[in-house]
Amino acid sequence: MSQKRLRDEFVSRWGFLAAAIGMAVGTGNIWRFPRMVALYGGGAFILVYILALFLWSAPLLMSEMAMGRTVRLGPVGSFRDFVGRRATWMGAWMVAVCMLITFYYAVVTGWCLKYTLLAFQGAFKIGVDTQSLWNRFLHSPWQNLFFQFLAILITAIILYKGIKGGVEKVTKVMVPALFLFLIIAALRAVTLHGARLGLEYIFIPDWSKLKDPATWLQALTQSAWSTGAGWGLMLTYSVYVKKREDIAQNCFIVGFGDQTAALLAAMAVIPTIFALLPSPEAAREVMAGSNTGLTFISLAGLFPRMPGGFLIAPIFFLAMVFAALTSLIAQVEVGIRTLMDFGLDRQKGTLLTAGACFLLGIPSAIIPDFLNNQDWVWGVALLVSGFFILLAIRRFGPDRVRREIINPSSEIKIGRWWTTVVFYISPLIFIVLTTWWFYVAITSNPKTWWKPFSVDTAGTIIIQWAILLIILILANNFLARKTVSLPEESKK
Amino acid sequence: MKLIIWIIIILGFNVGGFIFLILRAMRKKSY
């Protein structure tokens, strides 16, 4: 049997697409996107969000896929072989940021598991104080640890079986089920008496909101985080695709699929909130609150007041579990792939990565503010990861990537616009977004912004990024040496 | 009426685009 046939890879195009769509669709589609739409001008926000797909997310997804499919190594090896030895630390930054997010994302997945269980048990009844239910759970370390462990265990079992035997098989079921659940929840919500106002909040554009820079910046960041562009996830999954797998069309499918899931979630959430809360002001207040407040307090409290809510609650929370798990699987795979590139086999890589996710996620599981801090610090760092991908493509030559890697195997031929976007527009978006982020962080806390040990200051970002950067730059040569070099034949 | 038009525009582009691309891709399942 040839080396080529021994490779663990996606058997079908649909298998890869299911895994990649599952990677992109996460909890952010369900609990953040509906809030952003309602707060930042409905249809006007959506139009900017669609624009962001073409100016940031899709070009980055294509870039990642081009790198992973060409080099056949995870982010660390891809940067070494695609850009040069001296850039290995950039790939390591991508892996580190992705894993630092994974440590607390497993805790978030655990929350979804807990609430699905509660929904199936019929725990959400009229009169139940969902606020205190959530507070009790959030401040119960043992429960958080148990559900975090459960989330990692499920993920590890799937990844232990590999891409073909685990990831592809599971996501081919979970992703269509996720869309089906969202459709059912959306149909129930839009047929509620009083749902029209909620639909107006989603779809009718409030053009005045386009004058507010926050609308543009929130739409761009929502797209960047939601599609998984710049995380290293698409790069890692692309290691397992066939050599002639389509890049352009697949990446647009992932982008459009991610947006479709977000719109379905908005149609499930916003009409429910507007139809079942006593006033539009109360609904707006919920939307202006937090992601967890919307999901685990407001919606959990509203489902029992909805006709058929006893069925919709488990369906909705199960959709959240599937969204979270299919993203967690992709994130943990980034760690496993990196260890496999260091010479470990999949089984050892899975055990080590899953173990690290559990142990290093413990602080987030037992201290809510620790989780909030990590979310604040590494969420923004993803934009830097995306920027590194842009630098890699710039170094290789954007037009060369387009003509020699993307277009020869893509059904949709990408025009010169892609080169312009990758070379000029996406880097500009990165500069504007990060500058804005730091500007807001500093101006909203003018006296305390520099504090390194606060939950959400600019200072805590700077210190944690600096520590990571110093470690990775010092380890650059070690990482470049440690990562295997593949013979040309095995890349085919 | 305004609501219906905007629902058609946004869902038509997004969901319609997604379904169109998936169906197009499924003609060529693997390589």
Side-chain angles (χ1 to χ4, degrees):
Chain A
M1 197 177 278
S2 71
Q3 174 77 17
K4 195 175 157 186
R5 288 184 64 198
L6 277 170
R7 271 174 53 86
D8 182 20
E9 61 183 16
F10 290 103
V11 175
S12 67
R13 184 176 187 179
W14 168 235
F16 167 64
L17 279 172
I21 293 169
M23 167 277 284
V25 180
T27 50
N29 295 62
I30 300 175
W31 67 17
R32 189 172 187 270
F33 178 81
R35 290 182 49 242
M36 294 298 111
V37 171
L39 292 174
Y40 293 101
F45 177 88
I46 293 173
L47 293 180
V48 183
Y49 176 67
I50 290 171
L51 191 66
L53 175 66
F54 291 88
L55 297 183
W56 177 272
S57 305
L60 270 181
L61 288 173
M62 285 185 227
S63 303
E64 282 195 39
M65 205 175 159
M67 287 174 74
R69 202 195 65 175
T70 305
V71 178
R72 299 287 179 183
L73 293 170
V76 177
S78 283
F79 270 81
R80 184 196 64 186
D81 291 0
F82 203 80
V83 188
R85 272 184 84 84
R86 284 165 63 184
T88 310
W89 65 272
M90 290 186 185
W93 165 276
M94 291 187 80
V95 174
V97 171
C98 180
M99 296 319 295
L100 284 157
I101 290 174
T102 307
F103 299 153
Y104 69 82
Y105 198 74
V107 179
V108 172
T109 309
W111 296 346
C112 300
L113 284 168
K114 163 76 181 179
Y115 267 67
T116 305
L117 191 67
L118 286 175
F120 274 104
Q121 288 171 336
F124 308 127
K125 295 188 183 107
I126 292 176
V128 169
D129 181 356
T130 51
Q131 172 85 58
S132 64
L133 184 72
W134 169 244
N135 286 342
R136 274 203 310 276
F137 171 60
L138 192 63
H139 294 99
S140 157
W142 290 111
Q143 281 209 58
N144 272 275
L145 280 174
F146 172 75
F147 285 101
Q148 175 222 12
F149 178 76
L150 191 60
I152 295 170
L153 182 68
I154 296 168
T155 307
I157 290 171
I158 295 164
L159 287 166
Y160 194 86
K161 291 173 184 288
I163 296 296
K164 186 172 69 177
V167 177
E168 182 166 355
K169 272 188 185 162
V170 168
T171 53
K172 270 163 88 172
V173 176
M174 273 194 188
V175 170
L178 162 63
F179 276 84
L180 180 68
F181 294 161
L182 288 176
I183 290 169
I184 294 170
L187 284 175
R188 171 63 281 196
V190 300
T191 49
L192 286 170
H193 180 69
R196 189 188 165 90
L197 187 60
L199 285 173
E200 286 177 356
Y201 260 87
I202 304 172
F203 289 104
I204 294 184
D206 176 359
W207 298 115
S208 69
K209 288 281 185 186
L210 290 182
K211 291 179 198 157
D212 180 0
T215 303
W216 290 81
L217 297 160
Q218 292 291 4
L220 285 166
T221 45
Q222 177 66 28
S223 178
W225 289 326
S226 178
T227 51
W231 290 56
L233 305 171
M234 192 62 156
L235 189 157
T236 303
Y237 270 167
S238 302
V239 172
Y240 308 107
V241 298
K242 294 191 168 61
K243 190 64 191 169
R244 285 194 46 77
E245 185 63 69
D246 188 295
I247 292 182
Q249 182 161 298
N250 283 345
C251 289
F252 275 119
I253 290 173
V254 172
F256 274 84
D258 178 65
Q259 295 198 345
T260 298
L263 282 171
L264 286 171
M267 289 168 69
V269 171
I270 300 177
T272 304
I273 297 285
F274 276 86
L276 298 179
L277 280 177
S279 68
E281 288 71 32
R284 275 193 290 271
E285 203 176 308
V286 167
M287 289 299 172
S290 66
N291 296 334
T292 48
L294 167 71
T295 315
F296 299 128
I297 299 168
S298 301
L299 284 171
L302 291 176
F303 283 133
R305 289 162 56 187
M306 171 196 278
F310 69 97
L311 276 175
I312 297 298
I315 285 175
F316 177 83
F317 284 111
L318 202 54
M320 287 212 63
V321 165
F322 283 7
L325 268 180
T326 49
S327 299
L328 189 64
I329 289 168
Q331 289 168 224
V332 176
E333 176 59 26
V334 172
I336 296 172
R337 181 69 252 169
T338 305
L339 292 181
M340 286 168 73
D341 291 345
F342 288 164
L344 266 67
D345 62 27
R346 169 167 290 279
Q347 283 65 36
K348 277 187 193 147
T350 306
L351 292 175
L352 273 175
T353 312
C357 285
F358 176 68
L359 291 175
L360 298 170
I362 288 175
S364 293
I366 59 177
I367 309 165
D369 267 352
F370 188 87
L371 189 151
N372 292 335
N373 172 263
Q374 293 299 287
D375 192 26
W376 166 253
V377 172
W378 303 115
V380 197
L382 282 173
L383 297 174
V384 180
S385 296
F387 183 63
F388 287 164
I389 289 281
L390 293 171
L391 289 180
I393 298 295
R394 208 181 169 99
R395 182 69 191 258
F396 193 86
D399 214 47
R400 202 176 141 208
V401 172
R402 181 179 71 88
R403 282 186 288 107
E404 294 177 14
I405 303 175
I406 298 177
N407 277 348
S409 62
S410 297
E411 285 181 66
I412 298 174
K413 303 297 176 202
I414 297 301
R416 282 180 180 278
W417 67 269
W418 188 85
T419 311
T420 311
V421 167
V422 170
F423 205 81
Y424 297 107
I425 300 175
S426 301
L428 188 67
I429 288 174
F430 165 75
I431 292 166
V432 172
L433 281 181
T434 40
T435 308
W436 171 75
W437 202 268
F438 278 101
Y439 172 79
V440 171
I442 291 168
T443 52
S444 58
N445 298 298
K447 287 183 182 160
T448 56
W449 67 267
W450 55 271
K451 287 192 171 177
F453 301 110
S454 295
V455 173
D456 54 1
T457 56
T460 190
I461 292 184
I462 293 165
I463 190 86
Q464 293 188 59
W465 285 14
I467 292 169
L468 183 62
L469 270 176
I470 291 167
I471 292 172
L472 295 179
I473 290 171
L474 288 175
N476 184 76
N477 289 344
F478 169 77
L479 292 167
R481 212 171 40 243
K482 188 84 181 155
T483 304
V484 294
S485 294
L486 294 179
E488 280 307 309
E489 174 58 25
S490 64
K491 295 183 184 178
K492 296 196 171 76
Chain B
M1 193 60 192
K2 195 178 169 187
L3 176 63
I4 303 287
I5 290 170
W6 276 107
I7 287 177
I8 292 170
I9 291 172
I10 291 171
L11 289 188
F13 180 76
N14 228 300
V15 183
F18 179 50
I19 293 169
F20 170 76
L21 286 172
I22 283 273
L23 292 177
R24 198 169 182 267
M26 287 304 106
R27 283 183 313 172
K28 197 172 177 182
K29 285 186 178 168
S30 60
Y31 299 88

